[in-house]
Amino acid sequence: MSVLGMTAVLGGCGLGGDSGDVTLRLVAADYGDSASNSSRKYWDALVKAYEAKHPGVKVDVSVYSWNEVDAKVRAMVDAGKAPDMAQIGAYADYADEGRLYSTADLLSIPVEADFLEPLADAGVVDHIQYGIPFAASTRVLFYNKTLFTEAGLTPPKNWSELAADAQALKSRGVKYPFALPLGSEEAQAETMQWLLGGGGGYTDDLGSSYTLDSAENISTFTWLRDNLVAKGLTGPVAPAELNRADAFAAFANGDVGMLNGHPTLIQQAAKKGVKFGTVAMPGRTGKAKTTMGVADWMTAFKQNGHRDQIGDFLDYVYGEKNVLAFSREYDLLPVTNSASKVMEASKQDQGLRPFLEELPLSTLYPVGNTSWATVSADIKKRIGRAVAANGSPGAVLGQLQAAATLAESGK
């Protein structure tokens, strides 16, 4: 994501002749990696088309990089100047503070009913949906086809096969037989993917209580430490020091045999000419029962009282045409059933099919917990130690559990 901090102020004018002129302020995250594909261009085109049909509504859009957008919105809210809408990474803290409209307050019934079920469920706090899914992705196992063919390997279906394949790749001099990024950038994602494959996860089945130090989770990280890291199958950089972006770059350079990846790796690898395949992430004894899903969120703040205008604008934002345009521009998965069905049937979206297939059955971060941001940051900071040479998965996960319980209690 590039640091653009751009603001687009786009003219227009109402939701109805008698509603008076209304200006809606939207803060959005930038999904582009350069000025040429900044999210500002997407919002420019969308808002221009919307305003042409609604001559009493003006929409001012500010676009910020992912490095700063959440902090920008928090500063606005704390200063008593909340935007009407914010497209950001989390929503539960604002919902808990009573600042947000619910989806039922805003959206038409057809639009509200069109969201994919696991994404809609992840937007719920205290049985009410406040988080509106905006973009999604899942993870699958990427493997280097050239390296696999040269070693006479087939993609792994379980952890034992994964370790055996990694050992074979190592014996042929592959730099990263399996890249395991548990560095501070996105360790919470890699961790969750492995926990799910081991039959565990971050929370209980209801998503209400953290279970970081469960027997399943400790067993998973013990396996990683003993069967991948200790045997030198994760490459020259310790997992605690390896970030996701660096692992992706190494894969695109042909230095990685396997890793867990999301859709953006497709273009990154293809640009470098790396021949790759994808399969469902292996679990302990077979295909993992569920994979990790990730969603970003649209939120609507009550402060300025523009409920009707916000709802009408968001109904437009979530129209099939607009959802498809955004998803295709940034290699992300659509959050609606209607757009997903179009992409599943379309030849141009063939590369995304493995991810689309995983999304309806995916498990998302416990974003409905107001403590999740704190817990996630703690996981990024500590989890890499669990697989170090002298690391204790039980001790590290126990520390994370204690801190999570404290965060959840609000103390």
Side-chain angles (χ1 to χ4, degrees), residues 68-83 93-94 99 301 303:
E68 58 182 346
V69 66
D70 289 293
K72 289 279 188 182
V73 173
R74 173 46 74 181
M76 293 175 188
V77 172
D78 289 347
K81 298 178 180 179
D93 50 349
Y94 298 121
R99 299 181 185 274
F301 289 86
Q303 180 177 320

Side-chain angles (χ1 to χ4, degrees), residues 4 10 30 44 46-47 52 63 92 178 185 189 206 226 280 317 325 350 354:
L4 297 176
L10 306 166
D30 196 349
D44 276 1
L46 185 148
V47 169
V63 178
F178 188 98
E185 178 193 9
L206 297 176
D226 296 346
V317 167
Q350 199 167 7

